[in-house]
Amino acid sequence: MGPLHESRKALIGVCDFDGVLRGKLVLSDDVSAGDRIIKFSEAVLAWDCSDRVIQANSAQELPSVFGDADLRVLSATARAVPTCHDRFLYLAEFAGAHESICPRGVLRKVLRRAADHGYSCTAGFEFEFTLFNESAETIHKKPYDQWVPLTRGPFGYSVARTLASNELFDEILAFCDDARLPLSGLHFETGPGAIEASLRHCDALEAADRAVLLKSIVKSWAQTRGMMATFMAKVSENWPGQSGHIHISMSSNGQNAFYDGKASRNISGTMNQFVGGQLKYMNDFCVLAAPNVNSYKRLLPGFWAPTCPSWGVDNRSCAVRVIPGNESAHRLEYRLSGADINPYLALAGAIGSGILGVEENAVLATPIAGDASEERHAAYEPLPQNLAEATSRFAQSQEAIDVFGDRFVEAFSRSRRWEWDAVQHRVSDCERERYFEVI
């Protein structure tokens, strides 16, 4: 028998709570013939990142017995896979009984709420990631401090390194173009082996699709080159953290709803309310933008990451940075989120809190002009200090239940409590180094 026709080979990928694409190779003649429902294991909504089943108590609901669930294959999302030239990757989302806890479904729910008020949303993600000159085999055979990054030491925005890595950058640009993931920028960030890729802005749901695909494709591409890529929020306590900033704007009747040419800094009343809502509910929704134990090791003073729900005009020390410009460019940058986010959920949190602000006519405090981490005690409550605190706030938030649904809040909170518990009993190298001899 000869090789299968190209149209019969397709990868189907659906996003789990951790933002990881889970899927399988599907052999079908009509995979691209419009959105269709297939069966797929519901276990991926009950697994942690190491494929362990998240346990529930008797009062909590799990997917039944890990049978098959309805999965909607989204034909318009088809992308070329750079490491497999004879097939396409299709994104999918859970449908039916599981739609209310599907990350993509949660974002769609938030965007419908914005649409009910006459707003459409656009977004663009920026991701920092680190490349290591290590294979999937060698990285597990070496202690962390012996892993070799692509470059040594910090050299952010380095033209010299960009020119020296011209072939590598060309490959990234090429596979992003082939996969319909257009970039607006690509450069070295400060930190060993650190690179930032900025996706062009577009419709918010499409922007999140692109973000999910970029992370998976970068990681798979790196392995084909004998490298490893990581999107951890904090790879080392000695290096800067890795962000996943989100640029957001809203429009109404074809006009930028954040822009008012007659207002100070062009900040419209709607934008005031939107940012006011983001700040008001940032601590309650924080776990959507900082979903892992490691996430909170990035949110420290002096590392270009927020420490409180603050805002400023073109101020990168704040959690929300308003970027003034003409009507086509005026927007905000949501800087709380790290590179380890689930893009659907982080964007849902950023937009959902903003829409609450519009609904409630939220009041925006005076912008911070200096370092927000130094001024946080003047007007703002600190961000949650760890995953357990952030999860507790989310689980108890009536506003979270209102925006995202009670079933999702319960399921996602359960997954984050499990994530917190999974690492609390682990003894780290740092603890051994600090206490072994002295204590």
Side-chain angles (χ1 to χ4, degrees):
M1 182 181 292
L4 286 167
H5 189 272
E6 289 183 9
S7 65
R8 291 197 63 201
K9 295 190 290 184
L11 285 168
I12 307 296
V14 63
C15 200
D16 67 10
F17 281 159
D18 288 297
V20 177
L21 274 184
R22 305 275 191 164
K24 59 184 178 181
L25 183 65
V26 173
L27 307 179
S28 173
D29 289 322
D30 59 352
V31 70
S32 62
D35 295 355
R36 53 191 289 262
I37 300 295
I38 65 172
K39 295 297 183 180
F40 191 77
S41 174
E42 65 182 357
V44 300
L45 291 176
W47 277 344
D48 68 8
C49 61
S50 62
D51 289 7
R52 294 181 62 197
V53 174
I54 299 169
Q55 299 298 318
N57 63 39
S58 58
Q60 294 173 326
E61 179 187 357
L62 274 175
S64 58
V65 287
F66 311 121
D68 283 341
D70 287 341
L71 198 67
R72 183 182 298 113
V73 181
L74 305 165
S75 60
T77 66
R79 258 82 173 182
V81 180
T83 54
C84 303
H85 299 294
D86 62 344
R87 67 194 58 163
F88 284 82
L89 188 154
Y90 293 79
L91 289 178
E93 60 186 8
F94 282 98
H98 296 74
E99 188 164 351
S100 63
I101 58 173
C102 174
R104 195 176 192 271
V106 169
L107 176 57
R108 285 195 295 100
K109 180 177 183 177
V110 169
L111 295 176
R112 283 197 301 269
R113 186 161 178 156
D116 288 343
H117 292 285
Y119 297 112
S120 60
C121 303
T122 60
F125 286 78
E126 299 174 345
F127 282 111
E128 296 168 356
F129 58 93
T130 297
L131 290 174
F132 286 90
N133 283 320
E134 303 286 349
S135 70
E137 290 74 31
T138 64
I139 209 160
H140 292 293
K141 295 178 181 179
K142 296 181 180 180
Y144 160 74
D145 58 5
Q146 293 181 22
W147 296 353
V148 179
L150 177 68
T151 58
R152 300 291 185 136
F155 197 178
Y157 297 101
S158 170
V159 171
R161 283 185 173 175
T162 300
L163 292 174
S165 302
N166 180 63
E167 180 184 350
L168 181 144
F169 272 38
D170 278 352
E171 284 190 31
I172 295 175
L173 292 170
F175 74 64
C176 283
D177 185 58
D178 289 344
R180 291 194 292 112
L181 305 173
L183 299 182
S184 61
L186 186 67
H187 63 87
F188 276 101
E189 258 296 346
T190 184
I195 293 173
E196 179 176 306
S198 301
L199 288 158
R200 290 192 181 277
H201 71 278
C202 59
D203 168 78
L205 188 59
E206 168 70 8
D209 285 343
R210 292 179 183 181
V212 168
L213 286 162
L214 178 74
K215 292 179 71 174
S216 286
I217 291 176
V218 164
K219 285 187 279 190
S220 62
W221 162 82
Q223 290 197 41
T224 64
R225 253 183 161 265
M227 297 187 296
M228 295 292 289
T230 182
F231 288 80
M232 286 180 65
K234 192 78 168 180
V235 181
S236 168
E237 65 272 17
N238 299 316
W239 303 348
Q242 300 194 137
S243 67
H245 299 154
I246 313 172
H247 291 252
I248 300 170
S249 63
M250 290 203 311
S251 62
S252 178
N253 297 319
Q255 303 297 313
N256 188 339
F258 287 170
Y259 179 85
D260 182 349
K262 298 179 181 179
S264 175
R265 302 280 189 165
N266 298 336
I267 300 173
S268 72
T270 298
M271 190 178 202
N272 270 280
Q273 295 168 353
F274 192 91
V275 175
Q278 288 185 318
L279 301 185
K280 181 178 180 180
Y281 296 109
M282 186 170 285
N283 283 355
D284 282 1
F285 296 0
C286 179
V287 72
L288 299 177
N292 298 301
V293 172
N294 181 256
S295 306
Y296 297 83
K297 299 178 181 180
R298 165 183 164 263
L299 303 175
L300 299 173
F303 284 94
W304 299 91
T307 58
C308 59
S310 56
W311 82 283
V313 178
D314 207 14
N315 186 340
R316 284 184 167 86
S317 71
C318 294
V320 178
R321 171 189 171 217
V322 170
I323 305 174
N326 59 32
E327 186 171 1
S328 63
H330 189 79
R331 65 195 187 279
L332 66 83
E333 181 185 30
Y334 194 78
R335 295 178 59 83
L336 173 63
S337 48
D340 59 338
I341 53 170
N342 179 322
Y344 297 119
L345 299 183
L347 185 54
I351 293 176
S353 55
I355 292 299
L356 280 176
V358 172
E359 292 174 350
E360 298 171 3
N361 194 17
V363 177
L364 192 58
T366 302
I368 288 181
D371 187 337
S373 66
E374 294 178 358
E375 300 182 29
R376 69 178 186 178
H377 298 296
Y380 299 105
E381 177 188 4
L383 291 169
Q385 298 300 293
N386 54 53
L387 181 61
E389 181 185 345
T391 301
S392 178
R393 291 197 63 143
F394 184 70
Q396 297 174 42
S397 170
Q398 290 303 309
E399 288 76 17
I401 292 171
D402 174 43
V403 174
F404 310 112
D406 56 353
R407 189 164 179 242
F408 170 77
V409 170
E410 190 281 318
F412 189 69
S413 298
R414 181 178 65 240
S415 77
R416 295 310 94 187
R417 284 191 290 267
W418 174 268
E419 193 65 29
W420 170 260
D421 292 341
V423 300
Q424 293 314 296
H425 68 281
R426 302 294 296 272
V427 179
S428 67
D429 287 344
C430 176
E431 291 171 286
R432 295 186 184 97
E433 181 180 344
R434 187 171 181 85
Y435 302 126
F436 180 79
E437 180 181 1
V438 178
I439 300 299

